[in-house]
Amino acid sequence: MSQTPLISVSDLSDDAVVVDVREDNEWHAGHAPNAIHVPMGSVPESLDALPDTDETIPVICRSGGRSDRVVQWLVQQGFDVVNVDGGMRAWAAAGKEMQSEDGSEPTVI
């Protein structure tokens, strides 16, 4: 069985476009500024929401478990994707910029 491709938060630019597969309440509480929100359960029917790029697409969740499963599935579909190691918890711990949907102090829940 192959390993899921991983990328460290430190290897991503602060303005990286990432696909955030967390639930709505998690997204609203805090996310990367250029993230694209595609909740895990809607990924199969939302493939057109993924960035149209020749670059590898980072996929993120809270800690890396859900995004790991999404990355495995997307790789099987032929996408060039990578799991963000440690997820939004690692993003926040690295001091990277975040924003919330309501303007409040962003947080990872």
Side-chain angles (χ1 to χ4, degrees):
M1 183 156 182
S2 63
Q3 292 249 334
T4 304
L6 283 175
I7 190 167
S8 169
V9 166
S10 62
D11 290 333
L12 291 170
S13 65
D14 291 350
D15 63 349
V17 174
V18 299
V19 175
D20 191 322
V21 298
R22 296 175 302 150
E23 296 300 318
D24 289 342
N25 64 324
E26 295 172 290
W27 167 264
H28 288 286
H31 54 83
N34 292 323
I36 298 168
H37 186 219
V38 184
M40 181 179 176
S42 68
V43 168
E45 65 267 11
S46 301
L47 295 178
D48 59 339
L50 299 179
D52 185 17
T53 179
D54 292 332
E55 302 289 319
T56 301
I57 303 168
V59 180
I60 199 166
C61 66
R62 183 179 58 178
S63 60
R66 287 173 283 179
S67 53
D68 179 78
R69 293 193 304 267
V70 170
V71 165
Q72 288 179 33
W73 187 82
L74 287 171
V75 166
Q76 292 175 350
Q77 309 313 307
F79 286 88
D80 183 11
V81 290
V82 64
N83 188 19
V84 179
D85 194 20
M88 284 302 298
R89 286 183 171 171
W91 183 277
K96 292 191 174 278
E97 184 180 348
M98 291 175 49
Q99 63 188 40
S100 67
E101 287 297 289
D102 64 5
S104 64
E105 183 68 27
T107 187
V108 178
I109 60 170

